[in-house]
Each structure stands twice: as C-alpha cells, then as structure tokens.
C-alpha cells in the first residue's frame, strides 16, 4: 500500500510542477486546448488510480477484481485517461513530432491491457468474463 501512495503522490507532484512551469508560458489557443484535454483526463486518471487501491501494480498480477466506480464502465481507465492526458500534453506542447511517441504508446497500452486481461481471466474466470462483457477496453 505504501508504494501505491508514493506513486500517486509522485504523479500529483509532477502535475503541479508541470502546471507551475506552464504558468510562465504564453496561453496560446493550442496550449488552452491541450490543458482542456489533459486536465480532465488527469483528474479521471487520479480517480481511477485511487479506486484501484491496492490492486495497482506495475507488473500485471491479479490481486482483486475491481469493478466499481470508473472500473464499472472501463476495464483499463488508467491506460485510457493516461493516453488522453498524454495527447493533451502533446497538443499543449504544439510539437507534432511528439505524435510519434503517441503512435508507439497506444499499441503498447493495448498489449499491456491484453496481458492483464489474460491474467485476470485465469484468476477470476467467469466473474472476469462477465465483467468484461459489461465494460469497454
């Protein structure tokens, strides 16, 4: 549990540092659009991370099947909102070349989600398959 809190704190501190840095820059329409995409995604990312609780891990493993909150609609909200947040930062930066990073990120997240799905199905069986039918990604 201690490591999970540390990772969440690290993400929040990073976001505050990013916000402090971005306040010193000019607010162009592109930066406003990027923040408009990234900020709600960041909030949802944090909510999903808190709702996942002790089930969070860097390596795919099955400790508990979380099916409430954001997880009642999306199986992998951390991946979804992390990808949206990343897109917002790319828009904010105004550097189209960063989209190459995004093109790599999305398939990696899909591969990770599939691996986790196999592990969860092996541990929770029919309960996971039923949950999977009711949720997206």
């Amino acid at each position: 549990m201690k490591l999970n809190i540390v990772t969440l704190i690290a993400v929040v501190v990073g976001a505050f540092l990013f916000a402090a840095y971005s306040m010193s820059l000019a607010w162009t329409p592109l930066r406003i659009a990027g923040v408009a995409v990234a900020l709600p995604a960041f909030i949802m990312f944090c909510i999903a991370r808190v709702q996942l609780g002790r089930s969070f891990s860097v390596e795919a493993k099955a400790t508990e099947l979380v099916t409430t909150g954001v997880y009642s609609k999306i199986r992998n909200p951390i991946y979804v909102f992390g990808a949206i947040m990343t897109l917002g930062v790319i828009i904010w930066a105004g550097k189209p070349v960063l989209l190459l990073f995004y093109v790599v990120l999305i398939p990696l997240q899909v591969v990770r989600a599939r691996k986790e799905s196999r592990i969860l199905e092996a541990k929770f069986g029919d309960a996971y398959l039923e949950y999977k039918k009711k949720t997206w990604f």
Side-chain angles (χ1 to χ4, degrees):
M1 179 72 168
K2 190 175 185 181
L3 180 61
N4 291 335
I5 292 171
V6 171
T7 59
L8 182 59
I9 290 170
V11 169
V12 171
V13 168
F16 278 113
L17 291 173
F18 176 77
Y21 168 72
S22 67
M23 295 304 281
S24 67
L25 302 173
W27 282 92
T28 64
L30 208 52
R31 286 211 170 101
I32 293 169
V35 169
V37 170
L39 185 59
F42 175 72
I43 292 167
M44 292 304 296
F45 176 93
C46 289
I47 289 169
R49 175 60 192 83
V50 168
Q51 289 177 350
L52 191 56
R54 287 198 255 169
S55 294
F56 176 80
S57 68
V58 176
E59 284 291 315
K61 59 182 177 181
T63 54
E64 178 184 353
L65 185 58
V66 178
T67 61
T68 58
V70 179
Y71 289 85
S72 69
K73 303 291 179 199
I74 305 171
R75 285 188 306 280
N76 299 287
I78 289 177
Y79 294 161
V80 171
F81 295 119
I84 295 169
M85 183 174 52
T86 301
L87 182 60
V89 171
I90 291 169
I91 294 167
W92 173 86
K95 307 260 186 222
V97 71
L98 293 176
L99 288 172
L100 294 174
F101 169 74
Y102 201 68
V103 169
V104 172
L105 173 71
I106 299 304
L108 286 175
Q109 297 297 52
V110 170
V111 167
R112 287 182 69 187
R114 287 181 180 164
K115 180 179 179 183
E116 287 178 10
S117 182
R118 287 190 300 272
I119 291 169
L120 290 166
E121 185 177 344
K123 170 100 182 210
F124 300 108
D126 290 339
Y128 178 73
L129 292 175
E130 198 58 37
Y131 165 68
K132 194 174 173 180
K133 288 179 190 174
K134 299 175 184 174
T135 56
W136 174 74
F137 185 73

